[in-house]
Amino acid sequence: MTESISPPAVEMRGIVKRFGPVIANNHVDFTLEQGEIHALLGENGAGKTTLMRILYGLYHPDAGEIRIKGQPVVIHSPKDAIAHGIGMVTQHFALAAPLTVAENVVLGYTDGFRLDLPAASQKVLDAARRFGIEVDPNARVKDLSVGQRQRVEILKALYRQADVLILDEPTAVLTPQEVEQLFEGLRRMQSQGLSVVFISHKLHEVMAITDRVTVLRQGEVIGTVRTQETTPAELARMMVGRPTFGVSKPDTSPRDDVLLRLEKVAALDSRGLPAVKDVTLHVRAGEILGLAGVSGNGQRELAQVLEGVRRCTGGYIVANGHDITNAGPRKVMAAGVGRIPEDRHESVVLDLTVAQNMALEHLDAYTRGGVLDKKRMRAHAEQLIEAYQIKARPDDPIRTLSGGNMQKVILARVLERNPSVIIVAQPTRGLDVGATEYVHQKLVEQRERGAAILLISEDLDEILTLSDRVAVMYEGEIMGIVPPDVDLETLGLLMSGVRIANEPENTEAA
Amino acid sequence: MEQAVWLTFLVGVLAATLRVATPLVWASIGEVYTERSGVLNLGIEGIMFLGAFVGFAAAAKASQAGLPGYLWIGLGAAVLAGVIMALLMGLLSVTLGVNQHVSGLGITLLSIALSMFGFRLVFGESKVLPSIEPFGQIAIFGNIPILGPVLNQYLLTYVAFLVLVPLAWWMLYRSSFGLSLRAVGENPEAADAAGVNVYRIRYLALIIGGAFMAIGGAFLSLAQLGAFSPGIIAGRGWVSIALVIFARWDPVRAMWGALLFGAVSALQLRLQTLGFQLPYEAFLALPYLITIFALAIAGRNAPYPGAYLKPYRRE
């Protein structure tokens, strides 16, 4: 790479940002050269997003200085940032769903009172062509896929003449093919002189697309390195502060008995539209069956059906020999099914204490003559806190716990009953590396114990590491079941709805 | 002969339909503006009431002073009062983030109480209700049979149907202000990130809405009745709230809804005179019952604005 003599696109010096007692950014320095793709790498909570939200005017720094192309600037709001040529695509897309693509793109960037929609559509189309982004300007955003919505977000920034583009974990919601398309688009933007900040915690993507990497840990810069001169292992060490071990799955094979049987299960989503269509899955004792798929393809609804909180409109479910079709949560639990739902905050009662939450699913066991036996609840909680290394006291309100500790409480509550079937959804979303490893370790232990585990996750790495078999869901249907050593391309095709020749579930399980 | 009776009946119903619908069109278009920005303004009933009172009181005083344009002075005063209440609603629900149900009902209670108090102050306890010479109907169609009696209406009726509704549609879907308004009501975070000032848009929507609601109320006292009484609004604000949901927040559909309500109201008035053996209260309730039914059917999967009832705060 040739060194540019022009001033850096962005220079941030000594940035400090506190949220109450927490320091999210502690004297962070960050330099983005013109025309480079620069990764901000770090774990959840390392301060990557905070730093970029400061640059985009969404947060105001407590200290520090920002220069754009050498000029010191103060950025009060996204409007200022846009005026300085900075665009940001956040994880939660800032789009108004009932509006069209063109309307969303020109919003807040119109000239004159009259809105010339045909002209706006044409301009949007021109911008899209220039950067090789395919999108229909007249489509309504609510009808677009997540990947397409992301393109609209990028287009929004480009339409506003951004020459610095910030992408916050852009690949988290994409299929491998969509990731490749995104990368092609980024290279094209780079070739036209744009600078890109790529926020991520995925090492292989950072290695694939970026020129330089700045690693953040606990709000501080650990270092900035050239991508060509580093390795994934070095980046991981910088990111975590210690070597990572990963979780290894013992080489035992599942037993023959099917503990969880779904036959042609169907369900509707909250809008009353079909979300799960004829899903047939058999999970055997000692097996982790991973359910992969892009967010919003019916995984959530399927999990809810299995947890007994959503009506099953077709087919049947047998767990452990009990028919649990539309049986309700109580009977589902009685059938030996342990449930670790997707949203931690919905599976605990935030205002209750740790001990109360731990007893919640089996209050009968802690009741004497209609009165709760607080001593036993407490003793039980102390025992689980010890066994699962939870950093909390029995009487702490559960809302004060970190995500990792809250997830441990839920794990403890479910696993202490040795469920023969476990339904677990997005178990490590938002957790740091340590907590993630812990959760994975526990799931592997349960597999060894002989539980049948259905693991629903949008984290492909998690699915591929833990699963014995991987089922891929697309628009409510199972596209195929593949071994975990499948190549990423096949997996990506399945995730985008391309069915491949695959023996049906019942012959495989027979 | 029989034919002539029915024709008279029909002409009467049609003329009354337009008249009854007029204040509802003004108020519901006002409410469409505010709700599209994500704010439910339950102050509508009170603002209409206040508009009717302030308009009447100002016009009566100006008339006493011998000013020629006293009705227009009244209308201007009503708009001002509506805007002031809208600003108060904005302070509570937009700036301070108070629950919109609470602040809206508070505005309604306050507006009605202020009006009643003001009425005592201005007019004392006279035994005869004060009255003024109201806006007259404009005889555009003169004495032409059928057309004349039906379409010779008040200026505010013409403005409502021929200017207010098309303009509201154009503003909403064809102006950059309308795009910002819809975006703010659907996803204020997105609008903010795009550089739209969410608070400014919500205040503007409330102000426009408050002005229109007040005009809707003032139409009753300054045009239709030429007087003011405590029962003058009689739930028309609440009906407008229902119309907006029925209309799925679309100005043109709101107009059709207002016409439907107007038609049923006009019909029940005349049905009362036909001598059915029913208490008259049953007829009076008819338009409201129809509103409830229409709402139950059309409002079931109503596409509420995404940020409906939610105060906006940057994280």
Side-chain angles (χ1 to χ4, degrees):
Chain A
M1 238 173 75
T2 51
E3 283 301 324
S4 54
I5 18 162
S6 49
V10 173
E11 259 182 298
M12 300 177 82
R13 280 205 208 124
I15 301 291
V16 176
K17 178 67 187 173
R18 288 189 192 82
F19 295 105
V22 182
I23 299 191
N25 282 162
N26 192 359
H27 298 279
V28 170
D29 295 329
F30 174 74
T31 304
L32 177 70
E33 298 293 346
Q34 288 189 28
E36 77 167 341
I37 301 181
H38 193 139
L40 264 184
L41 182 70
E43 293 196 74
N44 288 312
K48 314 174 294 257
T49 302
T50 304
L51 185 67
M52 287 302 113
R53 283 178 154 256
I54 289 171
L55 180 57
Y56 193 57
L58 288 167
Y59 292 153
H60 300 166
D62 297 321
E65 183 194 32
I66 300 174
R67 284 168 185 265
I68 310 273
K69 296 188 185 81
Q71 297 301 311
V73 293
V74 180
I75 298 173
H76 295 288
S77 69
K79 203 164 187 161
D80 290 351
I82 292 165
H84 288 299
I86 298 168
M88 180 163 179
V89 178
T90 54
Q91 281 179 24
H92 300 285
F93 298 150
L95 298 171
L99 273 52
T100 67
V101 170
E103 285 178 331
N104 267 288
V105 170
V106 302
L107 174 64
Y109 201 74
T110 45
D111 30 52
F113 190 72
R114 188 170 157 269
L115 187 65
D116 189 350
L117 277 178
S121 293
Q122 189 53 46
K123 275 205 242 171
V124 170
L125 211 54
D126 291 344
R129 290 225 181 90
R130 190 175 146 217
F131 295 99
I133 298 169
E134 271 175 55
V135 70
D136 171 12
N138 298 316
R140 294 202 177 272
V141 166
K142 64 178 178 201
D143 299 324
L144 300 184
S145 73
V146 179
Q148 288 170 317
R149 288 182 194 203
Q150 185 178 63
R151 280 176 228 160
V152 178
E153 279 286 21
I154 293 175
L155 215 47
K156 247 166 79 178
L158 297 177
Y159 185 82
R160 287 162 173 68
Q161 324 275 310
D163 46 25
V164 171
L165 190 61
I166 306 164
L167 301 172
D168 191 358
E169 308 247 356
T171 61
V173 293
L174 303 181
T175 63
Q177 276 83 359
E178 285 175 324
V179 169
E180 203 36 59
Q181 279 178 18
L182 171 69
F183 284 3
E184 268 167 42
L186 292 184
R187 287 188 194 107
R188 198 147 162 179
M189 290 169 211
Q190 184 180 25
S191 72
Q192 300 196 18
L194 270 74
S195 322
V196 178
V197 180
F198 184 85
I199 302 179
S200 180
H201 60 239
K202 293 184 182 169
L203 293 172
H204 58 274
E205 289 173 356
V206 167
M207 294 302 293
I209 185 73
T210 65
D211 302 309
R212 290 198 300 160
V213 186
T214 293
V215 182
L216 287 177
R217 187 168 78 223
Q218 289 171 356
E220 293 184 33
V221 173
I222 301 304
T224 299
V225 293
R226 289 192 179 286
T227 312
Q228 282 181 331
E229 294 162 9
T230 187
T231 61
E234 187 192 351
L235 290 178
R237 205 162 45 242
M238 290 168 77
M239 196 164 113
V240 184
R242 60 179 170 81
T244 50
F245 304 107
V247 175
S248 60
K249 190 174 62 182
D251 202 14
T252 55
S253 46
R255 288 188 259 137
D256 281 341
D257 40 335
V258 173
L259 290 185
L260 176 66
R261 182 185 294 271
L262 285 73
E263 297 288 350
K264 294 192 176 295
V265 168
L268 305 176
D269 66 15
S270 308
R271 294 167 301 171
L273 304 171
V276 179
K277 303 164 192 162
D278 285 344
V279 168
T280 295
L281 289 173
H282 298 165
V283 192
R284 288 170 285 178
E287 178 183 49
I288 297 181
L289 176 64
L291 187 64
V294 178
S295 166
N297 273 291
Q299 303 98 310
R300 177 193 295 255
E301 286 79 8
L302 180 63
Q304 287 170 339
V305 167
L306 295 174
E307 287 156 12
V309 296
R310 181 175 288 279
R311 247 182 69 78
C312 175
T313 55
Y316 63 90
I317 308 158
V318 178
N320 220 5
H322 299 78
D323 184 348
I324 58 162
T325 320
N326 288 327
R330 185 174 283 262
K331 284 189 180 155
V332 168
M333 281 190 286
V337 179
R339 308 165 306 151
I340 301 168
E342 175 174 337
D343 188 345
R344 281 191 276 286
H345 291 108
E346 279 178 23
S347 43
V348 296
V349 181
L350 287 171
D351 291 319
L352 297 185
T353 65
V354 170
Q356 287 165 335
N357 270 292
M358 282 174 165
L360 204 55
E361 287 191 335
H362 300 279
L363 279 183
D364 292 350
Y366 303 96
T367 309
R368 267 190 198 159
V371 180
L372 279 177
D373 185 345
K374 285 195 179 162
K375 265 189 195 158
R376 272 187 51 207
M377 272 168 58
R378 226 192 125 89
H380 166 248
E382 271 167 0
Q383 189 194 327
L384 288 183
I385 284 171
E386 165 101 33
Y388 287 83
Q389 303 153 32
I390 303 167
K391 286 190 199 108
R393 285 158 302 185
D395 295 329
D396 286 342
I398 202 153
R399 67 163 71 249
T400 62
L401 271 57
S402 71
N405 280 308
M406 206 184 277
Q407 188 70 314
K408 282 182 176 178
V409 169
I410 297 166
L411 274 176
R413 180 171 81 186
V414 171
L415 301 186
E416 65 147 344
R417 308 191 73 85
N418 292 324
S420 48
V421 174
I422 301 172
I423 313 294
V424 49
Q426 322 295 352
T428 58
R429 180 184 282 172
L431 300 191
D432 63 31
V433 169
T436 298
E437 277 185 10
Y438 184 88
V439 171
H440 287 173
Q441 192 54 51
K442 285 289 162 194
L443 290 177
V444 168
E445 279 172 30
Q446 293 297 314
R447 173 182 175 273
E448 272 183 90
R449 185 177 62 76
I453 302 173
L454 180 66
L455 168 66
I456 300 168
S457 178
E458 281 155 26
D459 183 343
L460 270 187
D461 292 338
E462 176 168 273
I463 291 259
L464 297 179
T465 319
L466 296 178
S467 307
D468 296 289
R469 290 184 300 148
V470 180
V472 182
M473 203 165 178
Y474 176 78
E475 293 197 342
E477 290 180 69
I478 300 296
M479 287 291 120
I481 298 178
V482 292
D485 52 4
V486 65
D487 58 297
L488 271 180
E489 194 187 344
T490 309
L491 203 57
L493 286 174
L494 288 168
M495 285 169 69
S496 47
V498 181
R499 207 183 282 271
I500 53 167
N502 183 245
E503 67 261 60
E505 174 74 64
N506 33 11
T507 56
E508 195 187 331
Chain B
M1 183 63 213
E2 179 135 297
Q3 219 177 351
V5 172
W6 277 108
L7 200 61
T8 315
F9 178 78
L10 193 66
V11 163
V13 167
L14 286 176
T17 297
L18 289 173
R19 202 167 56 237
V20 175
T22 300
L24 296 174
V25 169
W26 280 101
S28 57
I29 295 294
E31 188 71 23
V32 165
Y33 274 96
T34 62
E35 291 195 19
R36 275 288 181 132
S37 81
V39 182
L40 168 69
N41 191 354
L42 287 182
I44 186 170
E45 178 84 6
I47 293 175
M48 289 182 81
F49 198 86
L50 189 68
F53 163 70
V54 170
F56 177 73
K61 285 290 152 195
S63 170
Q64 277 171 19
L67 295 171
Y70 63 94
L71 289 167
W72 293 104
I73 291 170
L75 196 64
V79 167
L80 193 66
V83 168
I84 290 170
M85 279 302 156
L87 286 172
L88 182 59
M89 180 70 191
L91 174 70
L92 293 172
S93 66
V94 178
T95 305
L96 299 176
V98 175
N99 176 301
Q100 290 175 12
H101 288 119
V102 174
S103 44
L105 290 174
I107 297 279
T108 284
L109 293 174
L110 174 69
S111 300
I112 291 177
L114 278 179
S115 304
M116 300 304 286
F117 180 62
F119 190 76
R120 284 278 181 90
L121 280 187
V122 178
F123 299 103
E125 279 191 78
S126 67
K127 292 188 181 67
V128 268
L129 272 181
S131 65
I132 51 166
E133 179 60 31
F135 281 115
Q137 285 161 324
I138 303 169
I140 293 185
F141 294 89
N143 293 325
I144 305 171
I146 305 175
L147 278 187
V150 174
L151 293 180
N152 287 340
Q153 293 282 357
Y154 301 100
L155 179 65
L156 285 174
T157 304
Y158 289 122
V159 175
F161 285 95
L162 301 179
V163 180
L164 184 68
V165 172
L167 190 69
W169 182 89
W170 187 88
M171 287 273 277
L172 213 47
Y173 299 111
R174 290 290 180 270
S175 78
S176 54
F177 169 71
L179 175 60
S180 300
L181 184 73
R182 286 182 288 143
V184 162
E186 287 297 339
N187 188 343
E189 289 81 12
D192 191 12
V196 174
N197 187 331
V198 174
Y199 298 107
R200 189 169 148 261
I201 295 286
R202 287 196 167 166
Y203 265 97
L204 280 173
L206 277 166
I207 288 169
I208 294 171
F212 291 171
M213 292 165 194
I215 293 175
F219 170 83
L220 292 166
S221 61
L222 294 182
Q224 201 173 319
L225 302 172
F228 176 82
S229 73
I232 192 163
I233 302 301
R236 284 180 176 84
W238 309 133
V239 169
S240 299
I241 296 273
L243 286 178
V244 170
I245 299 170
F246 168 79
R248 300 171 160 249
W249 295 270
D250 180 81
V252 178
R253 284 182 58 126
M255 178 192 77
W256 291 118
L259 282 172
L260 177 71
F261 185 90
V264 178
S265 294
L267 212 54
Q268 66 88 10
L269 267 175
R270 274 148 192 85
L271 286 179
Q272 281 189 48
T273 62
L274 291 184
F276 285 102
Q277 292 302 308
L278 273 174
Y280 78 95
E281 288 91 344
F283 290 105
L284 281 181
L286 200 61
Y288 299 91
L289 282 175
I290 297 285
T291 307
I292 292 171
F293 277 121
L295 197 60
I297 294 163
R300 276 190 50 197
N301 293 313
Y304 284 89
Y308 201 59
L309 298 177
K310 289 180 198 146
Y312 178 64
R313 289 283 174 276
R314 258 189 207 167
E315 340 173 11

